[in-house]
């Protein structure tokens, strides 16, 4: 069962790319995420995120600025104020897209709720784009999910290959991730 704000009628008729990354992105990652998301939207591609702070919300905002379709998969119930003060953004997303969760309203999520969110996010997308991640990022679970499902992994090249903030991206590229430039 999935709970939804918005309408999922758009689902299945266009390519969908999940955009993932850190909750504390660098200026480089913010800028390149905005640019890539705008270009994807112009190509009629749907952008999906895990609706957390950082890269997820940067991607959602870039799509909203283009008045296009985005999908937010929440790790908590859709009625919960997470991230804090996000209700207005959820309603903006719901106008042209959807906000979904597998958690019943007013339900406390399980300890692995974000791993479950990633399972849904990757299950619904056609490929995943990593915009910034360290080697120990929990977001790398998305890469494991995508690999298991045979979905392509796209990676924004790090702006500094010696900066630990980008070691996850570096490792994904070494493992066959497809370099993606804005």
């Amino acid at each position: 069962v999935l709970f939804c704000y918005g309408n999922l009628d758009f689902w299945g008729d266009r390519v969908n790319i999940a955009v993932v990354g850190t909750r504390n992105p660098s200026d480089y990652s913010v800028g390149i995420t905005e640019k890539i998301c705008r270009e994807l939207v112009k190509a009629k591609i749907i952008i999906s995120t895990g609706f957390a702070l950082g890269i997820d919300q940067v991607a959602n905002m870039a799509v909203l600025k283009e008045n296009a379709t985005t999908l937010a998969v929440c790790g908590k119930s859709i009625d919960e104020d997470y991230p804090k003060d996000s209700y207005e953004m959820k309603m903006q997303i719901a106008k042209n897209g959807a906000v979904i969760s597998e958690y019943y309203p007013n339900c406390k999520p399980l300890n692995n709720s974000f791993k479950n969110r990633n399972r849904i996010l990757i299950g619904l997308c056609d490929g995943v784009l990593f915009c910034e991640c360290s080697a120990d990022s929990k977001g790398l679970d998305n890469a494991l999910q995508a690999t298991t499902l045979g979905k392509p992994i796209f990676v924004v090249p790090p702006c500094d290959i010696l900066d630990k903030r980008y070691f996850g991206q570096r490792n994904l590229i070494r493992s066959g991730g497809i370099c993606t430039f804005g």
Side-chain angles (χ1 to χ4, degrees):
V1 174
L2 292 176
F3 299 90
C4 177
Y5 288 146
N7 189 324
L8 289 169
D9 285 348
F10 62 87
W11 203 255
D13 61 346
R14 288 189 277 168
V15 172
N16 174 10
I17 298 295
V19 175
V20 299
T22 183
R23 290 191 169 111
N24 299 301
S26 66
D27 291 341
Y28 164 78
S29 297
V30 168
I32 198 71
T33 300
E34 289 173 341
K35 185 175 186 328
I36 290 173
C37 287
R38 283 192 310 269
E39 290 176 11
L40 291 173
V41 163
K42 288 176 185 168
K44 304 292 186 217
I45 292 172
I46 297 168
I47 302 296
S48 297
T49 74
F51 200 66
L53 292 174
I55 290 296
D56 291 3
Q57 289 202 346
V58 168
N60 288 130
M61 284 305 298
V63 175
L64 290 173
K65 286 178 185 175
E66 298 293 325
N67 198 32
T69 302
T70 187
L71 175 71
V73 181
C74 298
K76 298 187 178 201
S77 67
I78 59 175
D79 65 337
E80 188 165 335
D81 187 26
Y82 182 84
K84 187 163 177 49
D85 299 323
S86 63
Y87 180 78
E88 181 63 33
M89 185 181 226
K90 287 177 183 176
M91 294 303 102
Q92 287 178 318
I93 289 170
K95 287 179 185 174
N96 290 330
V99 178
I100 64 173
S101 173
E102 69 178 331
Y103 295 102
Y104 288 88
N106 301 313
C107 175
K108 289 269 188 204
L110 304 170
N111 289 338
N112 59 350
S113 65
F114 290 99
K115 202 169 198 174
N116 289 338
R117 173 206 62 191
N118 293 347
R119 172 183 48 82
I120 294 169
L121 178 65
I122 301 306
L124 294 173
C125 76
D126 297 302
V128 59
L129 171 66
F130 284 85
C131 295
E132 181 179 326
C133 60
S134 64
D136 61 351
S137 170
K138 290 184 174 63
L140 289 170
D141 174 63
N142 291 297
L144 180 61
Q145 300 272 355
T147 300
T148 300
L149 295 174
K151 297 187 179 189
I153 296 172
F154 303 98
V155 185
V156 171
C159 67
D160 180 351
I161 61 171
L162 301 177
D163 188 331
K164 290 181 182 183
R165 292 181 293 182
Y166 307 105
F167 281 7
Q169 290 154 267
R170 179 197 67 184
N171 296 343
L172 287 170
I173 292 168
R174 286 178 176 170
S175 299
I178 303 162
C179 284
T180 304
F181 300 92

